[in-house]
Each structure stands twice: as C-alpha cells, then as structure tokens.
Amino acid sequence: MIASIFITAYFAVCSIGLIYILFHRGDYKPEVDFFIVIMIYFVSESAYFILFNLSVETFFNINLALILWSVSIFTRIISNGIWSAVHSMELNKLSRVRFLPVIIYILMGGIILSLLFNPVSFLVTQTGSEYYYFFNNVPLLISIVLFNGFIVVISWITQIKGYKEINDRKLSNFYFLFVFLLFLKILWYTLYILTLNSFFKILHLMFYVIFMGFVVFLAVKKPDLFVVFTNKIYDFIIFHKSGILLYSFNFEKQSEIDETLLKGSILIGINHILANLSNVENQITLIKMSDRAVVFNYNNQLGYAVLLIAKHKNKILDNAVDNFSKKFAEINKENLKKLSGLIDVSTFKNAYDLIEEYFNHYLTG
C-alpha cells in the first residue's frame, strides 16, 4: 500500500515535468552527450525508486524481492555517482583532479557490485507486510555507507568551492538547495540500512519525492539548467566589414564597452577576418587566445560579423550566436545596407535586447 502511494506520487511529479518539457522543448537545448548522461541518470533514479519500494513490500516471494533489493542498490549507486561526477567535473573544469571523484565512484561501485550479489549478503525477514534486509556482509554495508559519505562530502566541497564559477547566481543558489536535498535523502537512506527503522525509510521516500519535485521545479523555472552551466562569456562584439565597431558587450563587467577598451589581439584578428569575409573559415585562427574559445558568425550579404569570446565553445553557444545574428540582421537590415561615411553606431544599441533574449542566463545584473 505504502509502495503504491509513493510510486504514484513519484510518477505524478515526473509526468508533470515531462509534459511541461515536451510542450516547451524549444527552451531546452542540451548537448547530445550531456542529454544522454541526464537520461541515464533519470532512468537510474526511477528504477531505484520503484525497485526499492517493491522490494520491501510482500508482493513477491523472498527470492524475487531480494533480487529487486540488490538491483535497487546498484541503480542507486549509478544515479548518485553520475550526478556527483557531472557536478564535480563541471565545477572543476580546469582542475587537475577533476576526474578524481569519477575514479573514486568507479572503484567504490566496483567493490559494491562484486559484493552485492553474493547469496549470503543479506538475511531477509518478514514483519507484517514488509521485508527487512539485514546485512550479513559487513564489508558490503561499510562500502555502501562510505560511498554515500563520499557523495555527500564531495558534492558539498565541490558546490562551496565552485559557487563563484556559476555565472547565474540564482541558479547557483538553486544548486545549493539541490545538494542539501540530496544530502537529506542520502542521510535517511543510510540510517535506514543501518537501523532498519521504518521511520527512516518513510523519511527517505518522502524526501526522494520532494527531491524529484524540486528537480522538476528547477527544470521548469530554469530551462538553462541544461546548458553547460559553468561556461562563461567574456566579450560579445559586432563589427562592420569596414572595421567599425558596431556594438560590444562585456559579460564580466555586465556593461557595453567601446573599441578603445578591446584587447589589441582581438582587434587585429577581427580586422584580418573582416577584410576577408569571403574566406572567413581560414581567417578565424588569426585570433590567438590560449585560455579562451572563439565563436564566430558572419553575414556576407550585409557585411558584418559577430564574435563571442567564451570560456568553452559548444553547440549551445554556436546556436545562440547564430540565432542572434539572424535576428540582428532582420532588425537592422535597412540600417546595415545604408552604412557609409560617418556611421552612427548608436543605431545598433538594440543589440542589447537580443543579448537579453539569447544569453539571459549569463546576465547577473
């Protein structure tokens, strides 16, 4: 009875999120590899929740219930390990030890898996309408508790250290709450397997549903959750083929800037590119930046180019720049065609409205 209540509540929450995302799928543009990882995570989370609930209820015979219990432990290891590993790598992109949590989780997961399906790992008893699983295999219990501890400690350290790496402060605060709820559901689970007290099991299941509800809320409230959230944009520049700066915005200062404040290496590279717009694919390498990525988009027809300097280049930024450029051309088509002689660049201040539209999650003001 309790299992069906929690499973129904869980799927109700997930269904609301899924329906919303399907109807607003244009707002979600994750990279393919990131999307695959997210899907594996959600499938593992769902499999764990269902199997855990079913395994403690007496719907099945003891042998089948034990299999469900064991698989639930394994899928839980996968889901928690994936989230914490992605979280750590994203917030420590430049760290030499960014892959250390992944190595720890793989090693711990391998140890748990090797011990998990031993026929004598658990003693199953039935009390009323519930099964209880006593750990006969002490090393297995210790390994699971240690794994849970690593997840919590690494997630908190990563979040606290990496707070400043997330441009969107609201999103960063959401992640703090995310980690806190993760900690609570792991805490109640750990206390349950140590004590087999049903009170801790109920708390774990309640916070699991709350946790998934928060994930759905976050996906609805902050679609840019699916963007590579630690990427940074430094400079956004629009140049005319004559070499005139039409518009420039600095995301670090959150303000518009003029040509005199741009770095010389950027200006030299841009001027080379704009002088050869017909062969721009071969000119982009003239902008040399050891710790920056360049996203470039040009319009031969109207004779202007958009250049974005970012921390990391990805398809999300490529698409955003491309959409920006198309909209900018549509709005300023007539003005761009008339450009000659003394150019009034104030005409192109409308670019900021487009920046708000396509790069809003990088604006903190």
Side-chain angles (χ1 to χ4, degrees):
M1 179 65 178
I2 294 177
S4 61
I5 292 174
F6 279 110
I7 291 175
T8 301
Y10 177 85
F11 274 102
V13 170
C14 291
S15 297
I16 291 171
L18 182 60
I19 292 171
Y20 180 89
I21 290 173
L22 286 175
F23 277 99
H24 298 83
R25 55 186 177 274
D27 296 334
Y28 301 86
K29 301 175 182 178
E31 294 181 318
V32 175
D33 52 351
F34 186 68
F35 176 76
I36 292 172
V37 170
I38 290 295
M39 289 305 299
I40 294 174
Y41 167 75
F42 277 110
V43 168
S44 300
E45 284 277 53
S46 300
Y48 160 71
F49 192 78
I50 294 170
L51 295 175
F52 176 85
N53 274 286
L54 295 180
S55 66
V56 297
E57 300 289 332
T58 54
F59 297 131
F60 307 101
N61 63 54
I62 288 179
N63 290 331
L64 181 54
L66 180 57
I67 293 175
L68 297 178
W69 171 260
S70 299
V71 176
S72 77
I73 293 176
F74 182 62
T75 52
R76 180 183 171 277
I77 295 297
I78 293 175
S79 63
N80 284 339
I82 285 176
W83 185 86
S84 187
V86 171
H87 180 247
S88 177
M89 287 191 295
E90 286 298 326
L91 291 184
N92 294 284
K93 283 183 180 292
L94 302 179
S95 173
R96 294 180 180 178
V97 295
R98 61 185 295 231
F99 293 106
L100 181 59
V102 180
I103 296 172
I104 292 174
Y105 298 147
I106 290 175
L107 289 175
M108 291 297 299
I111 292 172
I112 292 170
L113 181 60
S114 66
L115 298 171
L116 185 59
F117 292 98
N118 187 317
V120 295
S121 289
F122 302 99
L123 172 64
V124 187
T125 63
Q126 181 178 345
T127 302
S129 60
E130 289 189 10
Y131 286 129
Y132 290 87
Y133 299 87
F134 293 88
F135 281 79
N136 281 332
N137 192 331
V138 176
L140 173 60
L141 177 61
I142 293 173
S143 297
I144 293 173
V145 172
L146 284 176
F147 182 87
N148 292 346
F150 278 125
I151 291 288
V152 170
V153 172
I154 291 175
S155 295
W156 273 118
I157 291 176
T158 299
Q159 184 63 31
I160 293 170
K161 273 188 67 178
Y163 178 80
K164 64 180 182 299
E165 294 295 325
I166 303 178
N167 280 285
D168 190 328
R169 284 289 170 255
K170 290 182 181 179
L171 183 60
S172 186
N173 293 332
F174 277 133
Y175 273 105
F176 264 112
L177 183 54
F178 189 97
V179 174
F180 178 67
L181 291 175
L182 176 74
F183 159 70
L184 287 179
K185 74 185 183 76
I186 288 177
L187 172 65
W188 302 133
Y189 177 85
T190 304
L191 290 175
Y192 173 67
I193 63 174
L194 288 173
T195 66
L196 296 182
N197 188 315
S198 294
F199 175 71
F200 293 129
K201 183 193 76 173
I202 297 298
L203 281 177
H204 169 63
L205 295 175
M206 285 176 57
F207 275 93
Y208 213 100
V209 174
I210 293 171
F211 174 81
M212 290 309 298
F214 178 72
V215 171
V216 170
F217 167 78
L218 197 57
V220 170
K221 184 74 175 178
K222 301 291 291 184
D224 46 335
L225 166 72
F226 295 94
V227 176
V228 181
F229 55 84
T230 57
N231 204 3
K232 288 185 177 181
I233 298 177
Y234 300 101
D235 291 296
F236 190 92
I237 306 160
I238 307 174
F239 262 83
H240 187 252
K241 64 182 179 182
S242 63
I244 299 297
L245 174 68
L246 300 180
Y247 183 83
S248 183
F249 187 86
N250 182 275
F251 279 84
E252 290 181 293
K253 296 179 180 179
Q254 296 288 299
S255 63
E256 298 171 351
I257 60 176
D258 59 44
E259 186 171 355
T260 59
L261 298 178
L262 292 177
K263 295 178 181 179
S265 60
I266 297 177
L267 285 174
I268 294 171
I270 290 173
N271 286 330
H272 274 291
I273 292 171
L274 292 173
N276 298 274
L277 275 176
S278 61
N279 194 27
V280 71
E281 296 87 346
N282 298 323
Q283 301 298 324
I284 190 64
T285 56
L286 290 173
I287 300 180
K288 301 292 184 181
M289 309 185 84
S290 59
D291 59 344
R292 299 286 188 270
V294 176
V295 181
F296 194 86
N297 186 287
Y298 64 98
N299 187 310
N300 266 327
Q301 196 173 27
L302 297 176
Y304 75 92
V306 176
L307 183 141
L308 180 145
I309 309 296
K311 186 176 181 181
H312 306 285
K313 183 177 180 179
N314 56 49
K315 291 180 181 178
I316 294 170
L317 286 183
D318 283 338
N319 291 335
V321 171
D322 185 55
N323 291 332
F324 175 96
S325 185
K326 289 176 181 176
K327 192 69 175 180
F328 182 80
E330 179 184 330
I331 294 173
N332 298 286
K333 185 175 182 180
E334 295 304 318
N335 289 329
L336 288 167
K337 286 181 176 180
K338 296 175 183 178
L339 284 183
S340 62
L342 186 62
I343 298 176
D344 180 11
V345 296
S346 64
T347 305
F348 304 101
K349 293 290 185 180
N350 53 27
Y352 182 74
D353 295 332
L354 300 181
I355 286 177
E356 284 189 318
E357 180 178 350
Y358 296 108
F359 303 95
N360 63 303
H361 44 277
Y362 293 101
L363 297 171
T364 58

